Amino acid sequence: MFIRSHIARLTTSSNRRSLFSTMTKLTDYPMTLTERPPICNLTPPGVCQFTPTWADVPLIDRIPVGTGGTSFILRFGLPDTTKPMGLTTCACLLAAAELENNDNEETMDVIRPYTPISTNHEVGCFDLLVKDYGENGWLSSYMCQDLPIGGTIKFKHIEFNVKIPAPFTHKKIGMIAGGTGITPMIQALHAILGKGEESQQSKTEEVSLLYGSRNADDILGGEMLQKWAEDNGEKFNYVDVLSNEPEDSSYKGERGFIDKEKIQKYLPPASDGEDLIIFVCGPPIMYELLCGPRNEPEVKGILGELGYSSSQVFKF
């Protein structure tokens, strides 16, 4: 297990206030999830402010979201605060912090991938949606609990982190996400549902999202996704699937796990051919059960049984 390190570079109280007030003037994009519209603002690969070299940027704000008390929007600054990040959709960043091993008191860099939920509409900053997994998530716990406002963390972006580029050409897109695997889907939904230049618009006419979580408190970004579904009812269908929600709760949606029955019920069939693609992102067990390991192009599991081909399934 790791405990929080003391390496974050702190600023004085006055410097932190100055940093926050200066940075937040650079964007009017709200921190409240229900007030965030989807925005299509695409850039080609190769122009991201983050490069293969690590860059330290400050934490500007941390806002709790959802109902469980363990999920946060983390707003970070950019190396150049006068420009947007320039990240391709869909792509992620690598984050790193030096944390201390509680067993031997040695420190090491802990590196994890994170997909921003903001777009290139934001100037001077970007947002992550992060769940605090406690002892099971060393870096996420550090960023959510102990990294102070004004403290810095390292980010970089490499070519491998560019996944499938938008705008999308498929008329129908099915999405299957579990846990923090929702963040690449949010990024893709910006490109599919958001307003923007005509040349950047995807050809997608229909998108359906199956999102698996343990319970209602574990849903990441649910209030935003629900709002997007309400505003785009003919185009976007959003379905939560909860595996451990108490039976006596007020939740009325799907229960259990994302299985063959739910995929057949909510997602477009493999018979749609080249007009269709299925995005999958979640924990390893999800890949094993639904489509096979993500480092293997062959489609196995439930999606394989349902006839989806490797050209119809993209594993994030």
Side-chain angles (χ1 to χ4, degrees):
M1 185 184 76
F2 286 81
I3 61 174
R4 291 15 148 206
S5 145
H6 297 288
I7 66 161
R9 293 200 295 271
L10 308 183
T11 63
T12 65
S13 296
S14 61
N15 284 342
R16 289 199 297 272
R17 287 194 296 270
S18 175
L19 171 71
F20 179 75
S21 61
T22 300
M23 291 299 297
T24 52
K25 290 177 182 177
L26 297 177
T27 178
D28 57 2
Y29 202 58
M31 294 291 282
T32 305
L33 286 177
T34 53
E35 297 177 359
R36 288 175 165 238
I39 297 174
C40 181
N41 192 336
L42 306 179
T43 59
V47 297
C48 182
Q49 285 202 43
F50 292 108
T51 69
T53 301
W54 290 109
D56 290 288
V57 294
L59 176 66
I60 298 171
D61 204 357
R62 175 170 42 225
I63 302 294
V65 295
T67 59
T70 58
S71 301
F72 299 84
I73 295 177
L74 305 179
R75 178 164 288 178
F76 289 93
L78 286 168
D80 186 340
T81 60
T82 67
K83 298 179 180 178
M85 178 164 52
L87 184 67
T88 299
T89 302
C90 298
C92 67
L93 302 173
L94 294 177
E98 191 175 284
L99 303 180
E100 187 175 289
N101 190 321
N102 198 36
D103 295 327
N104 56 25
E105 297 184 352
E106 294 181 356
T107 60
M108 65 176 291
D109 273 340
V110 179
I111 302 173
R112 296 289 185 271
Y114 290 93
T115 302
I117 64 165
S118 53
T119 73
N120 295 306
H121 172 72
E122 287 197 45
V123 174
C125 57
F126 68 97
D127 298 339
L128 300 182
L129 180 59
V130 179
K131 183 174 179 60
D132 180 2
Y133 285 100
E135 294 181 359
N136 295 320
W138 303 321
L139 186 54
S140 65
S141 182
Y142 173 68
M143 291 196 296
C144 291
Q145 292 188 34
D146 298 315
L147 179 65
I149 301 299
T152 63
I153 199 166
K154 295 185 291 186
F155 286 94
K156 73 176 181 179
H157 176 61
I158 58 177
E159 184 178 354
F160 175 78
N161 295 143
V162 177
K163 305 303 180 182
I164 183 169
F168 306 113
T169 59
H170 305 86
K171 291 182 179 179
K172 297 181 181 180
I173 295 180
M175 297 179 170
I176 303 175
T180 55
I182 192 63
T183 55
M185 307 304 172
I186 292 174
Q187 194 181 77
L189 286 168
H190 272 294
I192 297 168
L193 304 176
K195 295 180 180 179
E197 296 180 8
E198 185 64 29
S199 62
Q200 296 188 357
Q201 295 298 300
S202 295
K203 296 181 179 179
T204 308
E205 300 172 354
E206 175 186 317
V207 57
S208 299
L209 167 61
L210 283 173
Y211 181 24
S213 305
R214 286 180 54 82
N215 53 56
D217 289 343
D218 280 341
I219 298 173
L220 276 174
E223 54 266 64
M224 180 176 66
L225 293 168
Q226 187 60 48
K227 182 67 165 56
W228 290 3
E230 292 172 359
D231 293 344
N232 299 272
E234 296 183 358
K235 189 172 185 177
F236 176 39
N237 185 31
Y238 166 52
V239 181
D240 282 309
V241 182
L242 303 185
S243 60
N244 292 84
E245 179 69 8
E247 291 295 331
D248 59 353
S249 77
S250 61
Y251 176 71
K252 303 299 183 183
E254 294 283 359
R255 292 175 179 266
F257 296 92
I258 298 174
D259 52 21
K260 180 182 292 186
E261 179 184 6
K262 295 181 183 66
I263 291 172
Q264 290 177 309
K265 181 178 180 180
Y266 292 107
L267 300 190
S271 58
D272 283 337
E274 295 180 355
D275 287 336
L276 160 75
I277 193 165
I278 304 292
F279 295 160
V280 182
C281 189
I285 186 61
M286 175 174 281
Y287 291 100
E288 293 290 341
L289 294 174
L290 297 183
C291 60
R294 62 179 169 183
N295 61 347
E296 297 180 6
E298 181 183 358
V299 178
K300 302 177 182 178
I302 293 174
L303 291 179
E305 295 172 8
L306 290 173
Y308 293 94
S309 66
S310 58
S311 64
Q312 292 178 310
V313 177
F314 186 87
K315 308 175 186 181
F316 279 86

